[in-house]
Amino acid sequence: MTAFNVVRFKVKPGMAEAFLGAHRDIAQSWSGLRHANIIEAGEGRYCIIAEWESMEALVASRPQMVATLTAFVRRSRTSEEGSA
């Protein structure tokens, strides 16, 4: 059975391109992902709606989802330190 997940994000000013870049090729590393849409909701807010082959595929890909976000957070912190 198909599964969906929805995740909302608040991206720091100046980090939108890095955020979008971090998610550009997720289908290649998130096994079982059929399709994902990133929606810009304004004022640095984004929403990702993803369709998965199954709930099991979604659950199995959680480590890759966390790794993508962790890498983005590290980049944003490095960017902040470099501009301070």
Side-chain angles (χ1 to χ4, degrees):
M1 175 186 274
T2 300
F4 289 86
N5 71 320
V6 178
V7 183
R8 296 181 311 153
F9 298 90
K10 173 76 171 144
V11 178
K12 293 180 180 181
M15 295 304 300
E17 285 305 315
F19 171 78
L20 294 171
H23 291 86
R24 192 160 282 125
D25 297 319
I26 57 174
Q28 296 170 0
S29 60
W30 296 3
S31 181
L33 178 65
R34 287 185 178 168
H35 185 78
N37 289 304
I38 299 178
I39 301 163
E40 185 176 2
E43 299 181 14
R45 297 180 196 285
Y46 293 85
C47 181
I48 294 178
I49 301 173
E51 178 183 3
W52 298 85
E53 293 174 0
S54 65
M55 183 57 80
E56 293 79 13
L58 188 160
V59 170
S61 287
R62 284 183 182 154
Q64 288 83 10
M65 290 185 254
V66 170
T68 298
L69 293 175
T70 299
F72 170 71
V73 168
R74 285 188 183 136
R75 270 182 279 181
S76 69
R77 287 183 181 155
T78 302
S79 176
E80 284 179 353
E81 292 168 4
S83 64

